[in-house]
Amino acid sequence: MEGDDFEFHSGDGTNEAQDNDFPTVERSRLQEMLSLLGLETYQVQKLSLQDSLQISFDSMKNWAPQVPKDLPWNFLRKLQALNAEARNTTMVLDVPPDARPVEKEHQMEEEVIYWDPADDIAADIYSFSELPTPDTPVNPLDLLCALLLSSDSFLQQEVVLRMSLCQFALPLVLPDSENHYHTFLLWALRGILRTWWAQPPRGVGSFREDSVVLCRTPTFAFVRMDVSSNSKSQLLNAVLSPGHRQWDCFWHRDLNLGTNPREIADGLVEISWFFPSGREDLDIFPEPVAFLNLRGDIGSHWLQFKLLTEVSSAVFILTDNISRKEYKLLYSMKEPTTRFYFILSPYRGKRNTNLRFLNKLIPVLKIDHSHVLVKVSSTDSESFVKRIRTIVGNVMRAPCRRVSVEDMAHAARKLGLRVDEDCEECQKAKDRMERITRKIKDSDAYRRDELRLQGDPWRKAAQVEKEFCQLQWASDPPEKHRAELRRRLLELRMQQNGHDPTSGVQEFITGISSPSLGEKQYFLRWMEWGLARVAQPRLRQPPETLLTLRPKHGGTLDLSEPLWPEPLGVEHFLREMGQFYEAESCLVEAGRLPAGQRRFAHFPGLALELLLKGLPLELIDGSTLSIPVRWVTGLLKELHVRLERRSRLVVLSALGVPGTGKSTLLNTMFGLRFATGKSCGPRGAFMQLITVAEGFSQDLGCDHILVIDSGGLISGALTSTGDRFELEASLATLLMGLSNVTMVSLAETRDIPPAILHAFLRLEKTGHMPNYQFVYQNLHDVSAPGPKPRDRRQLLDPPSNLSRAAAQMEKQGDGFRTLAGLAFCDPEKQHVWHIPGLWHGAPPMAAVSLGYSEAIFELKRCLLENIRNGLSNQNKNIQQLIELVRRL
C-alpha cells in the first residue's frame, strides 16, 4: 500500500511532461482570456485612469453586462461607485431563459464541484478544462488579473484603492505566466491609508494613521497543498468577520460564480488586514494583522509559497492529502523561520500517509501535535474559527516577525519577483521627491523660508485686490483712493517679483516639467505621500476632532488664521508658482515689465497638464480665501487652446460645511481625487476636469464637466461680527455664480448653512440660478438608529434664526418666510436627496453600504439627465467662463 502511494506520486515522465507543457497551456489561456474580455488591444498601450473615467452613454444607465467584453467596464464602473457587488461577473444574456442550454450548465457544475478530490488524475484533467466561451461566466479573479495586466500603474493604483474601500482582499502578487514573471504590487498598494485605534482606551492618544505599505504587522498566510475540501477563503472570511456578520473579503466558492474554474488567476497572492476600532466588544485582535491567501496549490506555485514563508509569522496549510511532491518540497526547506500549521479533513484524506509524512516533517518544520488541526466541514465552523483566532493571538503575543509591505517587496526582489515600483521612471521621480522633502524639518519654517511669496505680501495683495474690486461697484468711487490701491498693489507685486524660486520650488518645477508623462505622474504621487509623511504627523488626530476659528482677545475674528492647521501639500508649491505668475502679470499690465522679459509665462501650461491628468487644482486660495484671478484665467486660456473645438463646459459645484461628505460624494460619483476628511484637509476650493466621450458629447450638450469642491470654505455659522459670514457668503455666491449645477451637501436634520442661503438670495436678484440639488447625508452607521431624515416639505418649513439672519443681511426683512418663497424653488420638483450612510458596520473594518453606492448612482444619473435636458441653464464655453471669473 505504501509502495503504491509512493509510486503514484513519484513524478514519472508523464507527469514531468505535463509540468513542462504547463507554461504553453497557460500562455494560450491568458491570450484567450484577454481576447474574450476585449482587453487584447491594451497590452501595448495600457488602459489609463482617464480612459476609465470618461462620461458616456453607459454613465446614465444601470445596465448589466451581456457579453464578456462588458465585464471589465462594468467592474470599473461599479468599483468607482464603491459598489459591494462589483466582483459579480454575472451576465444577462439576450437568449430567452427557456432556450438556454440548462443541461450543459448543470454538467459543467458537476464537473467543477463534484469530482473526487482524492483522485489526482481527475485533478490533472479538470485543471485543463475548456476555455471560457462568450456564454460562459468568467471567474471574478480572472477578470481582476486580466484587467490589472491591461492597466497602467495609475489605474492599477486606483483599482486597488477602491477595492480597499469596499473591504475586498487586495492583489499582492500578480501572476503572468504569459511572460514568465510575476509582479509584486508595491506601487499599486502605496496609496492606501488606514486609520485605527489602539486598545485601550479609545481616544486621541490611541488613534493611529499610516500607509498599509509602511505599517509593520504580524502576518499570517493561508495556502492549499494539492486538494482541500475546506475553503481557505471562507475560513479567512470567518476569522476576519466580527460576531455573526460575515464579510466576504476573499472571494470564495460559495459566492455567485465562485465555482467557475480559474483560468489565469492561479498563483495570485491576495492580502487583507484587520484593524482594531478600540472597542473590545468589536475587536477580534488588539492590533493590526495582515492575512495572505495564495490561489492555487503550493506545488504549482512554489515561488509564491517561498515568499509567504519568508514574510509570515505563521503559515496555515490546508490539505486533504500530503503528497510526495509537496512533502519533498517542504522537507527541502532550510531552517524555516516561520511557524507551520496543517489543517486536515478527517474524511477525504489518506490518514496513514498523512501521518507518516507529518512525522517526518516534525524535526524539519519544528512542529508538534498542536500544529495539526482537523476541521470537519460545516459542522464545527464556529469553534474551529475561535481556535484559529486563538492561535493567531498567541503567535502575536509571543515574539514574532512583523513586516510591512515594503519589507515583503524586499523579500520578493531577493527571490527574483518583479516589483512594480522598480521601473526607472518611478525611481527617478522618488529621488526627486526625496531631494525636496529631506529639507523639510518643520513645515511652518519650510513655508516661510522656501515658499516666500505666500506670506504677508500675498495676504496684503489679496486684501488690496478685494478692496479695489469693491470700489468697482461703488456709485462714485473716489479716484484718489483707487490710485492709492493701485500703488499699494503694484508695490506688493514688485516685492514678490523681486524673489527667485527657491531650490525646493525649482526642483518641483523640474519634476512637473519632465518630458516623460509617466515620470511626471509618478513625481506628483510621490510628492503627495512624501509631504504627508514628513510634514503633518502633528495633524494625525481622530476624524471627529475639528478645530474651529476662535476670536482674538479683542473679540474680533482674524480671517487670516486658518480654521484648522493646513497640512503642507502639493497645492502650496502650485500656489507659489501661481504667485510668481500673478506678480509678473501685474507688472506687465502696469507697463513696469516688458512682455518679452517674462520668465514665468509657461507656468499655467505646466499646471494644466496636471489638471488634465486628474490632479485637483486650487480655484480659491485656502490661505487668503481669494481667487488669484490672473493665474486662474491663465489656466483657463491654456485649457481653451488645448481643447480647441471641444471646449463646451458644464460647471458642477458642491457646497457644504466640512464633514458633510461632499468630497467623498464627488469622488464616488465621478472617480475624482478631492481630499477627504474634515480635520486636516486643505481649505481652498479645488477643481477637476472630466472628459465626456466624443460619441456622447453631442447628446449631453457639453464636451467636459468642470467639478468644483468648496473644500473647507464654509463653516456653517454666523459670527458675532458678521465678517466671516460675509466672506463665506461671497465665496459661495462666486462658486454658484460660476456653476450650471450646484449640489448643497447637508448633514441630516441640519439647516442650510446661512452663507449658502445668502448666496441663493443674491443670485435670485441677478436672475442666474444654477440647477440645484440638496443632498442630505446620514453620517452614521446605517445599522445604527439615526435622526429621522427630513422630507421635501420639511426643507421648505419656516426658516431657523440663522436663515432669518441671512435674509435680513440681504435686506429681505420679513418678506422672506420659507425657502419656498424663493422664485427658483418648485416644491413639486425633486431637488432633495437622502443618501444612506457610507459605512455598513463600524470603521475601520466597515464596508461601504450598497445603499450609499446605489443612491449616489441615482443622483449622478439625475444630474446628467438635467444637463442633457438643458435644465442646468446655458452651457458655457471656456471663453465665457473666463469672462465670468473676471466679473464675479
Side-chain angles (χ1 to χ4, degrees), residues 365-378:
L365 303 183
K366 301 175 183 177
I367 59 175
D368 56 33
H369 69 280
S370 67
H371 290 231
V372 180
L373 314 175
V374 177
K375 182 181 186 302
V376 180
S377 298
S378 73

Side-chain angles (χ1 to χ4, degrees), residues 34 140-150 174-175 264-266 268:
L34 293 172
L141 294 176
D142 287 336
L143 171 62
L144 175 63
C145 289
L147 182 61
L148 291 176
L149 288 169
S150 306
L174 181 65
I264 63 172
D266 277 353
L268 172 70

Side-chain angles (χ1 to χ4, degrees), residues 51 139 151 251 288 629 775:
D51 293 332
N139 188 288
S151 303
W251 192 265
V629 177
V775 182

Side-chain angles (χ1 to χ4, degrees), residues 90 136 144 174 193 225 231 255 312 322 342 353 381 500 648 685 692 701 713 725 746 770 782 845 849 858 883:
T90 303
T136 304
L144 175 63
L174 181 65
L193 191 72
M225 178 188 291
S231 167
L255 291 174
S312 300
I322 304 176
F342 288 84
T353 304
S381 294
D500 289 321
R648 295 176 301 163
V692 178
L713 294 177
F725 171 78
L746 304 163
V782 294
M845 292 303 292
S849 76
E858 279 304 309
E883 185 56 33

Side-chain angles (χ1 to χ4, degrees), residues 177-239:
S177 298
E178 171 84 5
N179 298 300
H180 302 286
Y181 63 71
H182 308 299
T183 304
F184 188 95
L185 299 178
L186 176 61
W187 171 260
L189 289 163
R190 190 168 288 278
I192 301 172
L193 191 72
R194 296 300 295 266
T195 60
W196 68 94
W197 283 263
Q199 287 186 1
R202 182 186 171 103
V204 174
S206 63
F207 179 75
R208 302 287 185 272
E209 181 180 87
D210 207 351
S211 165
V212 296
V213 164
L214 303 174
C215 178
R216 282 193 165 91
T217 65
T219 302
F220 297 87
F222 285 68
V223 301
R224 172 169 61 83
M225 178 188 291
D226 197 22
V227 173
S228 173
S229 52
N230 295 308
S231 167
K232 300 188 314 298
S233 302
Q234 281 180 301
L235 178 59
L236 277 166
N237 290 341
V239 170

